């Protein structure tokens, strides 16, 4: 019996790339699938696309009233029925054999590989391979262990994803970025391994508008979101759960302004980064305070 694949697509303000992705999924060589489109558009703009593709895809739409990439993925997972989960962003373009190849790799190494990432290809160039851990290649394969990754496209065995605790909805609400980095950081802390296969590739359209717009937003907006994500992650994963100790503050300062890239830009840039860091430290304290029990132990975090 072939495993059922649940494909979960969070979408937000992607009026052009989402139909293209659905068209690509309609042409997959693997057909035991279900597709869940988690629509975060407040104007209810996606239903016509669901109707158009329902003739060729076993497709369901779930509508959320507030955009949150973590909530969208968790909600899609809880509504899914598949043995294997594929989280895929709405600006990716899979080849016709992408799903079949990913599932074949998981089945071939099912005793070891429970989480599988492809190589993301942008304008013909491979990205993400710098995160491969040296010396961890699976013997006689193109599989390599990763030290961190992103969830633009990632396969999980269902039970394995449940064991991760899911995506952090509070983090995305606060910073609007880096929820995938936190998930992989938590997986590493729990001793859970994840893999990249260099033979599994998927194209990424970086020109697609919409989404969280981290790449296309103004520099200081992006900078603020990154700093906010760093601060809240340190409150979650630092030495004192929910709090920042001296070491955390030193690392955050080094990331925010005590580095060559910022120091070389002058006093104005330095002080602006300091203000962003101070603001993030202050606001994150009140944001996480009602949820401290949820973060008491990395092993016990569960957002599902």
């Amino acid at each position: 019996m072939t495993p059922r694949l649940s494909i979960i697509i969070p979408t937000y303000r992607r009026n052009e790339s989402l139909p293209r992705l659905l068209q690509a999924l309609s042409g997959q060589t693997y057909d035991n699938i279900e597709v869940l489109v988690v629509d975060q558009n407040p104007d209810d703009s996606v239903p016509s696309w669901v109707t158009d593709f329902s003739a060729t895809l076993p497709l369901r739409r779930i509508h959320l009233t507030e955009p949150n990439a973590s909530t969208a993925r968790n909600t899609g997972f809880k509504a899914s029925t598949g043995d294997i989960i594929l989280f895929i962003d709405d600006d990716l373009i899979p080849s016709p054999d992408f799903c079949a190849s990913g599932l074949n790799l998981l089945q071939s190494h099912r005793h070891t590989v429970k989480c599988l990432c492809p190589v993301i290809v942008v304008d013909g160039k491979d990205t993400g391979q710098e995160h491969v851990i040296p010396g961890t290649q699976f013997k006689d394969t193109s599989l390599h262990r990763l030290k961190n990754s992103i969830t633009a496209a990632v396969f999980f065995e269902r039970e394995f994803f449940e064991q991760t605790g899911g995506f952090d909805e509070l983090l995305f609400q606060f910073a609007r970025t880096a929820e995938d980095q936190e998930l992989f950081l938590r997986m590493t802390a729990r001793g859970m391994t994840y893999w990249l296969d260099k033979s599994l590739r998927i194209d990424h359209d970086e020109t697609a508008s919409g989404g969280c717009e981290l790449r296309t937003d103004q520099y200081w907006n992006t900078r603020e979101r990154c700093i906010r994500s760093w601060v809240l992650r340190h409150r979650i994963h630092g030495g004192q759960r929910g709090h920042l100790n001296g070491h955390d503050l030193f690392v955050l300062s080094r990331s925010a302004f005590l580095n060559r890239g910022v120091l070389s830009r002058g006093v104005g840039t330095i002080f602006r980064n300091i203000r962003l860091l101070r603001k993030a430290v202050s606001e994150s304290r009140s944001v996480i305070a009602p949820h401290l029990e949820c973060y008491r132990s990395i092993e016990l975090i569960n957002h599902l």
Side-chain angles (χ1 to χ4, degrees):
M1 182 177 177
T2 57
R4 184 166 178 77
L5 175 66
S6 293
I7 304 173
I8 298 169
I9 310 169
T11 190
Y12 180 57
R13 300 188 304 170
R14 287 272 168 77
N15 296 335
E16 297 179 0
S17 60
L18 175 62
R20 181 182 60 195
L21 171 59
L22 295 177
Q23 184 65 47
L25 294 177
S26 298
Q28 290 296 300
T29 58
Y30 192 86
D31 58 5
N32 189 10
I33 65 173
E34 64 173 355
V35 178
L36 297 94
V37 174
V38 187
D39 173 16
Q40 304 163 84
N41 293 291
D43 56 357
D44 211 29
S45 61
V46 171
S48 63
W49 297 341
V50 173
T51 302
D52 292 343
F53 284 96
S54 60
T56 54
L57 275 177
L59 189 151
R60 282 186 285 156
R61 169 185 171 267
I62 302 169
H63 186 242
L64 301 181
T65 57
E66 218 172 282
N68 185 312
S70 293
T71 303
R73 293 191 184 104
N74 290 344
T75 300
F77 171 75
K78 286 184 279 191
S80 68
T81 62
D83 311 290
I84 306 295
I85 307 298
L86 169 61
F87 293 106
I88 187 168
D89 285 357
D90 54 7
D91 56 354
L92 295 182
I93 312 167
S95 61
D97 64 346
F98 177 75
C99 291
S101 297
L103 285 164
N104 182 59
L105 287 165
L106 284 170
Q107 290 291 296
S108 299
H109 306 286
R110 59 184 176 275
H111 298 301
T112 303
V113 180
K114 310 290 184 180
C115 174
L116 178 65
C117 302
V119 173
I120 307 295
V121 180
V122 180
D123 294 331
K125 298 179 181 178
D126 296 356
T127 64
Q129 295 194 53
E130 67 271 17
H131 301 307
V132 166
I133 301 174
T136 60
Q137 183 175 359
F138 201 104
K139 185 178 180 181
D140 298 326
T141 74
S142 51
L143 281 162
H144 299 258
R145 274 188 57 192
L146 290 167
K147 54 187 173 184
N148 55 61
S149 189
I150 59 174
T151 53
V154 57
F155 293 88
F156 280 96
E157 286 193 2
R158 184 178 196 87
E159 291 184 2
F160 193 74
F161 180 72
E162 287 179 333
Q163 293 168 21
T164 70
F167 291 90
D168 192 318
E169 299 176 18
L170 182 67
L171 173 63
F172 191 86
Q173 184 182 42
F174 180 69
R176 301 197 64 77
T177 188
E179 76 290 345
D180 47 1
Q181 296 171 16
E182 191 282 326
L183 174 71
F184 286 112
L185 182 63
R186 186 172 358 119
M187 289 172 64
T188 298
R190 293 182 177 185
M192 304 175 75
T193 58
Y194 39 101
W195 300 77
L196 175 139
D197 193 288
K198 293 185 177 180
S199 71
L200 186 64
R201 303 160 66 86
I202 189 167
D203 290 321
H204 182 205
D205 179 9
E206 285 203 333
T207 67
S209 60
C212 67
E213 294 186 330
L214 192 65
R215 298 185 308 274
T216 58
D217 203 354
Q218 295 181 0
Y219 171 80
W220 284 110
N221 292 340
T222 297
R223 187 67 177 167
E224 181 175 17
R225 289 159 67 180
C226 289
I227 289 174
R228 288 167 76 87
S229 73
W230 300 338
V231 171
L232 196 60
R233 287 211 311 270
H234 272 267
R235 289 196 182 277
I236 296 168
H237 291 273
Q240 297 174 278
R241 299 287 179 258
H243 305 282
L244 299 173
N245 59 27
H247 177 71
D248 294 321
L249 292 171
F250 170 73
V251 173
L252 288 167
S253 297
R254 189 173 57 188
S255 298
F257 63 91
L258 290 178
N259 58 76
R260 183 178 300 176
V262 174
L263 294 175
S264 64
R265 295 190 176 194
V267 174
T269 297
I270 295 169
F271 277 99
R272 190 163 181 177
N273 276 282
I274 291 172
R275 288 195 295 271
L276 289 177
L277 178 59
R278 291 180 63 181
K279 181 182 177 185
V281 168
S282 173
E283 293 182 354
S284 65
R285 183 187 302 113
S286 58
V287 163
I288 203 171
H291 308 279
L292 285 178
E293 185 60 26
C294 300
Y295 296 105
R296 181 168 54 86
S297 165
I298 292 296
E299 293 295 330
L300 298 178
I301 290 176
N302 188 354
H303 303 294
L304 294 175

